[in-house]
Each structure stands twice: as structure tokens, then as C-alpha cells.
Amino acid sequence: MYHSWIPNSDPIVKREMLRFIGKDVEDLFGDIPESIRLREPLKVGFGRPLSEYEVYRIVDRILSRNRVFRDPPPFIGGGVCAGYVPSIVRFLALRGEIYTSYTPYQPEINQGVLQAIFEYQSIMAELYGVDVVNASMYDGSTAVAEAFRLAMRATKRSKILVPATMNPFYRSVASTWLSPVRGVLEEYRVDEKGDPDLGDIYGRVDDNTAAIYLENPGFLGNIIEDPEAVGEIARKKRALFIVYSEPTSLGILRPPGEYGADIVVGDGQSLGLGLNYGGPGLGILGIRMDQELLKQLPGRLVGATVDADGRRGYMLILQAREQHIRREKATSNITTNSSLMAIMATIYIAYLGGNGIRRLGESILRRTQYAVESIRRRLSGKVSIALRSRLFYREIPLRFHGKSYGEIHRDLLERGIHGGLWLKGLLKGFEDCALYCFSEIHSRDDIDRLVQALAEVA
């Protein structure tokens, strides 16, 4: 049926468009291999239109199959963990002027959103100890991928050294993003504590190394004992030093900018964003002040200034890598959801305050260490900590002896406990391990229940 606002829905219009470009429909899909093309109608739907009430019943039936884990909260780790979202965050974010605001494209309009993003940049720069943080990326994985490509452009080199225990989800995204620009990820070893093998890094870094990447805390929750040593190697070889940090840990750990990181990255999911079924998220990306790094910074920057009357104002001061500026040469594409998540994280941190971030970090660290001690004390012989790190933050890799973790996980679910992320197929050498997360919402009783359940099923 013809519709004036959807011109390509009318068969007559479609035919006219194809005639104009001199193609038929098959030509437009010519890039899709014949072996994966479908030559029959899709087997979807119900064979007839459904009423609103019928749709409601069907969706409600599907939703009733979901299981919600509130008591205790889920322990699944892997970078995205359950955390508490204060009511004020969602209440303020749902205000019309924030929730419906479009991400700014024009440099100076939308002063309220621009100010909120400016505050986000300032807070994150202070938290990570760097000079500049952009107006956000999609999530941690895209922030890491952008950081790698930034390093390649700035150094005109193509190799990135990454730890063997790098977040496998981030590694997958980064590999995809580096492929078209001929970037290479090369792995360096970590020791039994999860710390970087400095000798191996020395042996691998060369004149084509654009950056050395470090996660602190690591993907497996281990706190790196001497991250500065990795930065020193990078400086000696004129490579960049990229550090990924979980933002809540920076309330108690040194900011990576203070121990020499040229580029910092993170994921803001833990800053009051909730789980969101895995998304939307918030990618944090910052740099030390360096003109070459600044020129290559993806995303956008909001700056503050004063107008002719001396009134303070905000505007976009850098967006040189964005798709609406560089078109096909763009390296990034940031949209409204990213800005909304950045503003929610800003509300969260402002609500907690400086001391609140420190107390949050201490709270998570205490819970994690309590879990480590309980597991070591009560599950000896059945379960062990997969790394010998002295200190873990938020996540712990547990190695299971004797039974398959798949079977253990099912037994936990029957007891109403959502266990950790099975690392089989994700990290070499950790096939019999699962990654457990302990955040501020896990009480001592929750941890005791988990340990007791593991004692019964492991």
C-alpha cells in the first residue's frame, strides 16, 4: 500500500527506483553468497495477524519462563556484573529533557546535555588520572578497540601486545575492528598470579609495536602488583601504554594515568547502569594531553568557555573522527544511547561523591576477599582459586576439581543460585574454571549460601 512517508513500500515506486538505477533486486543482493541466501518465505509469525490481546498473552507466556535471581543476586562475572542502581539515577535519567534528548551534533545547542557530558568528562578524567576523556563510547569493548586503532594511527605501527588472560569478549571485538586496518594482536604471557611476564614482553616488543595493553584489575579479578613496570617497557620502546580499569576499583587503586598510562579505557556498566540484558553500556576512553593523541581521539569532546557577555557556555570542540564529519573516513559513531549512559554514570558518581566511590571500592574489595577466604577454608580439595594473586577485586576465577562445571552450574540453578561464567572455550587453560563476581549487593549471607551450595554440589 502506498504511503507518502515510506516511498519504497509501494511496488510501483520500487520498480521506478530500480529502473532509474538500472538494476533489479537480485543485483542489489549480489554480494551475499548464494549458499546462504534464502529462496523461500521466512517461517516466522503465526500465519495470520494477531489481535493486541493475543500478542499480549503470547509475550506474557514467554516472559513467565524467565527466572529472576534476587535472593541471592546472580554471581556471574565476566565484566558485566549485577550492581545496585540507586533510584535517583533512573528518576533523573527518565526526566524528559534527558531521556528524550538527542545526542548533540551541532556544536553549541542543547546546553543542558552538553554541560552534563562536560561534567562526565571531568569526573572520568579525575577518576582515571588523565587530562582528557571523550564524551563516551558504546561499551568497554568498543573503547578498547578504538584505543588500539588510536595507538596505531598515532604511532604508525600495527602491533598491539595483549595479555594471555585478556577479556575474551573485548579481544574478539578488537580483532574484528583491527582486521580491516591490518592490525595485529600478539599475546604476552602472564605468570601464575596473573601478573604480566615482563621478560616475555621485552622479547616481543619491537619497532612495530604500537602499544602494550594491560588490564588492572585483570579480567580474572587479579590486581596487578607492578603495572608501572609494563609502562616503563612501553616508554623505552616508544610504544604507547594502554590500561583498562574497572572504574569502581579506582576509588581504592592508583589511577592508571598516575603510573604512566598514555591511554585509559573502561566500562561504565558498574556506575549505576544496571545489567540492561548486556546493553546499552558505556565505554570510557581517555588520554594524557598530547597533541598527536588528541588529534586521533575518537568520539567527541565537550568544552567550556564564556560568551561575549562573560556567561559560561558549553560546546563540542572536537569531533574530527566522527561519521557525520569524516563520512567514510570516520573511525567512530556515537549515538544517543551512549550519551544517556554517560549522563546516568555522572548522576551516579555525583550522588556517591568522592568518599562514596572510595567506600564503594572498599566494600567490593572486602566482599571479594571474604569470598576468597571462605572458599579456601571450606572448599579445599573441591574448588580452588585459579590464580595465586594476593588480591582480587570483584571477580574470582574458581577451578573445579572432579566434576564438570556445567553439571555444577545446573545443580546451583536448582538451588536458586546463579553461578559464575564458565570459561570453557573462552580462555586457554581455564576450561574447568568459572568466573564469579562479588559486588556491593552481595551480602555476607549471600556469599555463605553460595559457598555452602558449592560444598554440596561440587
Side-chain angles (χ1 to χ4, degrees):
M1 184 175 70
Y2 174 75
H3 191 291
S4 58
W5 296 101
I6 310 176
N8 61 0
S9 65
D10 182 12
I12 298 175
V13 175
K14 287 181 183 177
R15 284 197 295 272
E16 179 60 23
M17 292 169 69
L18 290 170
R19 186 196 64 76
F20 183 81
I21 63 175
K23 303 283 186 181
D24 59 29
V25 172
E26 289 296 318
D27 295 328
L28 300 182
F29 294 104
D31 290 336
I32 301 175
E34 188 63 33
S35 60
I36 62 172
R37 294 176 68 173
L38 187 66
R39 295 294 186 180
E40 60 187 37
L42 286 172
K43 295 175 182 176
V44 297
F46 303 94
R48 66 178 177 83
L50 300 181
S51 68
E52 179 180 323
Y53 181 67
E54 287 176 310
V55 172
Y56 173 83
R57 290 285 300 270
I58 290 171
V59 172
D60 196 50
R61 190 182 308 143
I62 295 171
L63 289 176
S64 68
R65 292 156 53 190
N66 286 339
R67 293 186 63 183
V68 179
F69 296 87
R70 291 197 176 93
D71 185 22
F75 292 94
I76 187 168
V80 178
C81 301
Y84 184 67
V85 180
S87 300
I88 190 173
V89 175
R90 287 190 172 134
F91 177 78
L92 292 179
L94 285 172
R95 286 181 61 93
E97 63 269 37
I98 295 176
Y99 200 67
T100 63
S101 62
Y102 194 48
T103 189
Y105 281 91
Q106 292 74 24
E108 73 286 0
I109 66 171
N110 209 344
Q111 284 290 298
V113 169
L114 287 172
Q115 179 179 357
I117 295 174
F118 180 82
E119 301 293 348
Y120 161 81
Q121 295 174 177
S122 304
I123 289 172
M124 287 302 166
E126 185 173 352
L127 195 60
Y128 279 79
V130 292
D131 305 298
V132 182
V133 169
N134 74 8
S136 75
M137 307 266 80
Y138 283 122
D139 58 19
S141 70
T142 58
V144 168
E146 290 275 16
F148 288 177
R149 292 182 61 156
L150 188 165
M152 289 174 58
R153 292 193 300 271
T155 62
K156 296 180 173 53
R157 301 174 178 179
S158 61
K159 187 167 78 175
I160 310 288
L161 294 181
V162 301
T165 51
M166 178 183 179
N167 184 321
F169 307 111
Y170 291 3
R171 182 172 181 155
S172 176
V173 171
S175 295
T176 302
W177 281 43
L178 292 193
S179 174
V181 293
R182 302 182 187 279
V184 177
L185 293 184
E186 186 171 314
E187 191 175 287
Y188 63 80
R189 289 196 298 264
V190 300
D191 64 17
E192 59 187 9
K193 294 187 292 187
D195 282 342
D197 183 329
L198 299 181
D200 193 47
I201 295 177
Y202 263 118
R204 294 179 182 280
V205 66
D206 57 27
D207 292 341
N208 192 37
T209 303
I212 304 174
Y213 172 73
L214 179 72
E215 293 174 345
N216 186 30
F219 172 67
L220 299 176
N222 55 302
I223 295 176
I224 306 299
E225 290 189 358
D226 188 11
E228 196 166 356
V230 180
E232 290 174 1
I233 299 175
R235 274 193 296 279
K236 287 179 181 175
K237 298 294 183 178
R238 302 180 66 183
L240 296 174
F241 183 31
I242 303 174
V243 178
Y244 177 94
S245 290
E246 154 59 31
T248 61
S249 73
L250 299 178
I252 54 174
L253 299 180
R254 285 176 68 198
E258 287 190 5
Y259 53 81
D262 300 294
I263 304 172
V264 298
V265 277
D267 190 302
Q269 182 267 330
S270 58
L271 301 177
L273 304 189
L275 293 175
N276 296 327
Y277 297 96
L282 168 65
I284 303 164
L285 175 58
I287 58 172
R288 63 174 168 79
M289 179 53 78
D290 176 276
Q291 287 299 321
E292 188 57 33
L293 294 181
L294 189 61
K295 281 196 301 184
Q296 301 297 339
L297 186 69
R300 307 169 187 181
L301 278 183
V302 176
T305 186
V306 292
D307 64 13
D309 299 320
R311 295 174 302 183
R312 192 167 204 193
Y314 301 89
M315 64 180 61
L316 291 172
I317 57 172
L318 184 145
Q319 44 187 329
R321 317 304 303 179
E322 279 281 279
Q323 91 285 354
H324 65 289
I325 301 293
R326 295 295 298 273
R327 299 298 180 182
E328 74 276 8
K329 294 182 180 178
T331 63
S332 63
N333 174 27
I334 299 307
T335 54
T336 299
N337 74 295
S338 182
S339 295
L340 178 61
M341 295 299 109
I343 293 172
M344 288 179 69
T346 307
I347 296 169
Y348 178 82
I349 294 179
Y351 173 65
L352 292 187
N355 288 332
I357 285 289
R358 177 177 54 78
R359 288 197 298 271
L360 174 65
E362 291 172 345
S363 167
I364 295 173
L365 181 66
R366 281 198 296 269
R367 284 163 167 77
T368 311
Q369 291 310 115
Y370 177 75
V372 168
E373 292 163 8
S374 298
I375 290 164
R376 283 176 174 160
R377 186 175 65 254
R378 298 186 55 192
L379 301 179
S380 177
K382 293 183 175 181
V383 182
S384 61
I385 310 296
L387 290 178
R388 295 187 178 180
S389 176
R390 286 196 301 118
L391 211 54
F392 290 88
Y393 182 82
R394 203 173 74 142
E395 309 208 46
I396 308 171
L398 300 185
R399 190 180 300 280
F400 294 86
H401 308 281
K403 288 179 69 174
S404 162
Y405 183 69
E407 185 180 348
I408 293 169
H409 192 74
R410 285 193 296 274
D411 290 342
L412 288 177
L413 290 175
E414 290 178 0
R415 286 166 167 75
I417 295 174
H418 196 302
L421 173 71
W422 196 1
L423 296 178
K424 182 180 180 181
L426 295 176
L427 275 185
K428 292 178 186 175
F430 293 87
E431 290 77 9
D432 53 353
C433 299
L435 193 55
Y436 278 69
C437 179
F438 302 91
S439 74
E440 74 277 12
I441 62 172
H442 294 102
S443 68
R444 182 171 180 160
D445 286 345
D446 294 334
I447 298 171
D448 288 343
R449 282 179 61 186
L450 170 68
V451 174
Q452 176 61 35
L454 286 173
E456 294 169 2
V457 304

